[in-house]
Amino acid sequence: MNIGLGWIIAFGCAIGGFIWLGGHIDQLWVPQEYLIIFGAAVGTLVASNKWRNLKSLSRAFFRIFLPSTTGKEANLGLLCLMFELLQRIKRDGALSIEADISDPKQSELFAKYPAVLKSPRLIEFITDYFRMMMDGTVTLGQLESVMAQEIEVMNQEALEPSESIATLADSMPAFGIVAAIIGVVHALTSIKTGIGPGEIGDLISEALIGTLLGVFSAYAMMLPISRSMEQLAAMDVKPYEAVKEILIANYSNFSPMIAVEYGRKVMFTDQRPTMTELAEGVMATSGNKLTG
């Protein structure tokens, strides 16, 4: 994610412009205003979310600064795994992968794809639906429906952190106004102490820092965080959508090659291996050609 670089540009231009106008950077440091605004923001965030979502939010926040675990290499491993599973079923029957599906951690087949094994939820998703498909009592419509429902739940859970931050971003300007009003009240009540016009002006300018901070933090900080979390959520769901399309295509009697191609097409273009890369990956891991 480019959020770090974006923040450097935003902060640099805002502070640089302020100094260029003749301001002094110490004038922007009013800790009382910061406490009011960010304290209210944290309190609102805690009050409006369940602990489950707060935990998800903290994980999602740190993830935006880390390299993504979902990429072309991981997706290539997933597609190769799905092809090999379907190829074995076609060649040797469903019983040939029963041991692999029952205990993927001990499976030599799954062990060839460590990038996939790093995601326990994805492994569970794959094995659950292979079991349902191998059971033979589930219709195509039923299989597609239940997979779509589970993916929808995953998508809703993945989007909760970004939605919470987006709601908080909408509130930040209001918190800035609250901080500014408190500062103005303090400035006006200080008049009776006999302070001069210059000191009153300093207090008013400090109060207005609250409005500045509320608006800037909303649009330059919170919204980029929300958008980055939303993009990560979309990336996280794509492997599950690919598995769904592959299994539906296989259930519709397409060959393993065509079924895997259905899954490949739903991936984002920058994370989708080419057909050549997929064929090379299949040959390298299973020794089979991407045919039939």
Side-chain angles (χ1 to χ4, degrees):
M1 290 294 176
N2 298 323
I3 191 166
L5 175 61
W7 278 351
I8 291 173
I9 295 172
F11 277 91
C13 290
I15 295 174
F18 176 73
I19 294 173
W20 195 358
L21 288 170
H24 300 282
I25 195 169
D26 59 295
Q27 293 173 317
L28 299 174
W29 177 243
V30 186
Q32 299 89 338
E33 300 283 318
Y34 286 77
L35 176 63
I36 293 169
I37 294 170
F38 289 108
V42 172
T44 301
L45 197 64
V46 172
S48 58
N49 288 279
K50 296 180 179 179
W51 285 112
R52 172 180 62 82
N53 192 31
L54 290 174
K55 292 178 182 179
S56 299
L57 196 153
S58 63
R59 288 194 297 267
F61 176 77
F62 287 111
R63 278 190 63 200
I64 65 179
F65 300 101
L66 300 174
S68 175
T69 57
T70 303
K72 183 181 287 189
E73 183 178 351
N75 288 334
L76 175 61
L78 174 62
L79 295 176
C80 291
L81 170 64
M82 295 299 294
F83 175 81
E84 190 165 359
L85 287 169
L86 296 179
Q87 187 78 327
R88 286 194 181 188
I89 291 176
K90 179 182 178 181
R91 186 183 62 223
D92 304 321
L95 292 178
S96 64
I97 66 166
E98 185 175 13
D100 301 296
I101 297 299
S102 299
D103 192 1
K105 291 183 179 180
Q106 302 299 322
S107 166
E108 293 183 2
L109 192 157
F110 279 86
K112 293 188 290 185
Y113 307 99
V116 182
L117 280 175
K118 289 181 181 178
S119 177
R121 191 172 187 180
L122 179 58
I123 291 295
E124 182 181 5
F125 186 84
I126 293 171
T127 55
D128 283 352
Y129 288 105
F130 262 99
R131 290 190 189 98
M132 290 181 63
M133 188 176 68
M134 291 161 58
D135 181 67
T137 60
V138 180
T139 66
L140 175 61
Q142 291 170 334
L143 181 66
E144 185 173 10
S145 176
V146 71
M147 293 183 82
Q149 289 174 4
E150 183 170 356
I151 290 174
E152 177 62 24
V153 171
M154 289 181 183
N155 192 47
Q156 290 175 356
E157 291 176 346
L159 287 174
E160 281 181 348
S162 66
E163 291 172 351
S164 296
I165 297 297
T167 301
L168 184 62
D170 293 337
S171 305
M172 292 303 290
F175 294 146
I177 293 173
V178 170
I181 292 174
I182 292 175
V184 170
V185 169
H186 171 62
L188 295 178
T189 56
S190 298
I191 294 177
K192 61 184 179 182
T193 64
I195 64 174
E199 293 173 301
I200 295 174
D202 289 340
L203 292 175
I204 294 295
S205 67
E206 290 179 355
L208 291 177
I209 293 296
T211 304
L212 168 66
L213 184 61
V215 174
F216 185 83
S217 61
Y219 297 109
M221 296 175 62
M222 299 298 177
L223 283 182
I225 291 174
S226 174
R227 181 58 180 155
S228 296
M229 289 179 174
E230 184 181 352
Q231 292 173 358
L232 283 174
M235 288 167 54
D236 288 344
V237 172
K238 281 299 176 184
Y240 299 90
E241 293 178 346
V243 172
K244 170 180 172 287
E245 294 301 324
I246 291 170
L247 291 183
I248 295 303
N250 179 74
Y251 219 68
S252 302
N253 294 320
F254 286 103
S255 68
M257 180 187 70
I258 300 300
V260 168
E261 180 63 9
Y262 268 81
R264 190 179 73 89
K265 289 298 186 183
V266 305
M267 295 174 172
F268 289 128
T269 53
D270 63 322
Q271 299 173 349
R272 177 198 304 164
T274 64
M275 282 293 290
T276 300
E277 291 171 335
L278 180 57
E280 292 174 350
V282 168
M283 178 61 71
T285 53
S286 66
N288 297 321
K289 292 185 178 180
L290 187 66
T291 56

